[in-house]
Amino acid sequence: MIEKSALQGKRILLGVTGSIAAYKAADLVRRLKDHGADVRVMMSHGGTQFITPLTMQTVSGHQVSLNFFDADEEAAMGHIKLARWAEWILIAPATADCLAKLAHGLADDLISTVCLASEAPLMVAPAMNNKMWSHQATQQNCQLLRQRGVEFIGPESGDQACGEQGEGRLIAVDNLLKHLLTKSQPGPLNGIKVVVTAGPTHEAIDPVRFIANRSSGKMGYALAQAAAEAGADVTLISGPVAIHPPSGVHCIQVESAQQMYEAVMQQISPSSVFIGCAAVADYRPAQAAQSKIKKTDKDDLSLQLQLNPDIITAVANAKQRPAMMVGFAAETDNLPYYAKQKLQQKRLDVIAANQVGEGLGFGQDNNALEIFWQNGHKSLTNAPKLEIARELITFITERYHAKDSI
Ligand code: PMT
């Protein structure tokens, strides 16, 4: 037994589905047990074709759950009891079929039913042929699952049992274990809710046209990832973007500023951190036309605009005002002046300002930030957005805890 492991006493419910990689599940259970975790195993019918329940029972030290139609098994530990017992659910290996069932909420076997019935964080370690993994159907299922906060561990690339090469191999047991160990270390934002807004908003002109901006969501998504890495419970509220939400982050997709406002107001709480990184449209068409606006012979067309709610200001004035409020400022000119003005006007604790314009800020992979707070200033020099996000999250964490101790 490995002493003082972060996995000591962790109740892990392992789902084993029908992939050739299922034979590695026995080693995984043994290694988890070496770290002091309490592991129970549930297997799909396919899983039992590759490794026997007796093997899994022997290594885990518990009866293996196979079927919820079996009265004896249900008496031992029923599917609802299992769902409640688990602190984490890990499906390794997870087949394409299993991911499809989870994505679409099917409950036609024990594993899919337990996952639906449980509130425990769900992690999946996919394993399948590389073509199956890259198939649009599988990728869309994965996207749905990621949006719901399911964490993907792997797959890895390399030689496959079918003789092909590519991405789809079950992550090596060593790497999977390392991942679980890192995840179970308490991070500096452990147990703290962080709500991040990201991306642009789309403001409808008519059913086919909208007003938008060049935000790609990269900065906000990087912040969500960095906050999750720091152990926070992250909710990402995102406008329409073409990138995937980071693993383990709960993502709410919206289109317009009004929808973003409503989602944000539902998510904030007094102990949370709020980071407004979205490029929210200040104005929307006063009246979105019900039918496509037709071209006429006239040289001009006027669009009446109406002010959108200012989300950050509404959050700052809410009864549920978060413990820490961070805004962004996108400026083309006079950055320090406008950033400090927004810090005051929007009643923020911190504002992160970026110079925007051609090749800067919007849509780029890199960013640089000037951070302002009451009587203070700090620069984060040009770096990939994820690096900048990690530095900003470290800074926010320090200020959050400093505030806490006042
Ligand atoms: O998404 P990327 O391509 O990665 O680009 C990142 C970014 C440049 C969009 C990002 O770093 C950024 O600067 N986001 C804020 C953009 C913005 O709208 O700034 P602003 O100065 O117009 O607004 C100030 C603050 O008020 C922002 O926190 C904004 O989210 C908030 N706001 C604005 C309008 C509104 N109606 N409600 C708001 O809450």
Side-chain angles (χ1 to χ4, degrees), residues 94-106 112 128 137-138 140-142 144-145 148:
T95 58
D97 177 65
C98 167
L99 296 177
K101 279 191 169 74
L102 296 176
H104 297 283
L106 298 194
S112 53
M128 66 198 75
T138 306
Q140 281 175 0
N141 288 334
C142 294
L144 262 177
L145 291 169
R148 289 188 208 133

Side-chain angles (χ1 to χ4, degrees), residues 315-337:
V315 173
N317 293 328
K319 250 195 187 153
Q320 300 287 87
R321 182 189 159 101
M324 180 94 185
M325 290 206 44
V326 182
F328 267 70
E331 307 296 343
T332 49
D333 314 283
N334 220 345
L335 180 143
Y337 174 78

